[in-house]
Amino acid sequence: MFDNTEIAGQVAEFLLQIKAIKLQPNNPFTWASGWKSPIYCDNRVTLSHPTIRTYIRQQLTHLIQEEFGPVGCIAGVATAGIPQGALVAQELGLPFIYVRSKPKEHGTGSMIEGDSSLTGKRVVVIEDLISTGKSSLQAVEALRSAGYDVAGLAAIFTYGFDVAVENFKLANCPFYTLSNYSALIKYAGNNHYITEADVEVLKKWRENPSEWGK
């Protein structure tokens, strides 16, 4: 079993250090969904830092090997999962494909880009971030509909929303992440990125994110 307690803390440290994750309890962000949020996560920033990029690639590779065993292909979710997935596929020496957010508006009209002869392979999906899981599971469904055997999904970070856990359960799709919201808040509080009062605000947000800040 993949034991990620130490890894979760290390990834949280990296994401805070390079400001891939920003915490602003007193000046919240507004997500595209309209939710007010004290946290903003952009894991694409990790790609600009070779040491961190390498660590994430290696740990995602270990996670896949330990939790999913042999697979025949890696699939990235557009857009942020594409570079992460390509790095993991290179590390594993496996073919790589990616899943569009919507079908092409021209040509074949496909959602999946890559060698079509890979259809039927056992595949692990790579994401950068899990929020509700909606876009990730859309990619999973597209792969299944095309004939791929989806073993599960691996990502860098999750907010740990109950709705995401439920959505993945309903889709019968196991998922694992290198780090998570709880590990992040613990590290941030222990290392003075935020105050004790901020920690409580951040915990409250995750309990009911759609209503927080209204």
Side-chain angles (χ1 to χ4, degrees), residues 33-95:
S33 62
W35 288 7
K36 294 292 183 182
S37 170
I39 180 173
Y40 185 78
C41 180
D42 182 4
N43 290 327
R44 287 168 289 201
V45 178
T46 64
L47 298 166
S48 300
H49 298 265
T51 300
I52 295 172
R53 182 180 70 210
T54 297
Y55 182 83
I56 287 172
R57 182 192 77 221
Q58 291 172 338
Q59 296 307 324
L60 282 172
T61 297
H62 294 159
L63 188 161
I64 289 167
Q65 291 172 327
E66 292 191 30
E67 294 297 340
F68 299 115
V71 296
C73 185
I74 298 296
V77 180
T79 58
I82 293 175
Q84 304 291 353
L87 289 166
V88 170
Q90 181 67 22
E91 183 83 359
L92 287 166
L94 290 175

Side-chain angles (χ1 to χ4, degrees), residues 13 39 51 67 76 81 99 106 125 130:
E13 178 182 353
I39 180 173
T51 300
E67 294 297 340
V99 186
H106 58 278
V125 182
I130 302 295

Side-chain angles (χ1 to χ4, degrees), residues 72-76 94-99 104 108 110-123 143 146-148:
C73 185
I74 298 296
L94 290 175
F96 176 73
I97 58 176
Y98 73 85
V99 186
K104 270 185 183 177
T108 61
S110 61
M111 279 189 70
I112 301 168
E113 298 289 0
D115 189 340
S116 60
S117 70
L118 295 169
T119 301
K121 293 281 190 182
R122 189 166 187 262
V123 60
L143 288 162
Y148 288 88

Side-chain angles (χ1 to χ4, degrees), residues 136-159:
S136 304
L137 290 170
Q138 180 181 349
V140 168
E141 180 55 35
L143 288 162
R144 286 173 171 169
S145 295
Y148 288 88
D149 175 14
V150 179
L153 181 142
I156 298 172
F157 186 81
T158 178
Y159 292 117

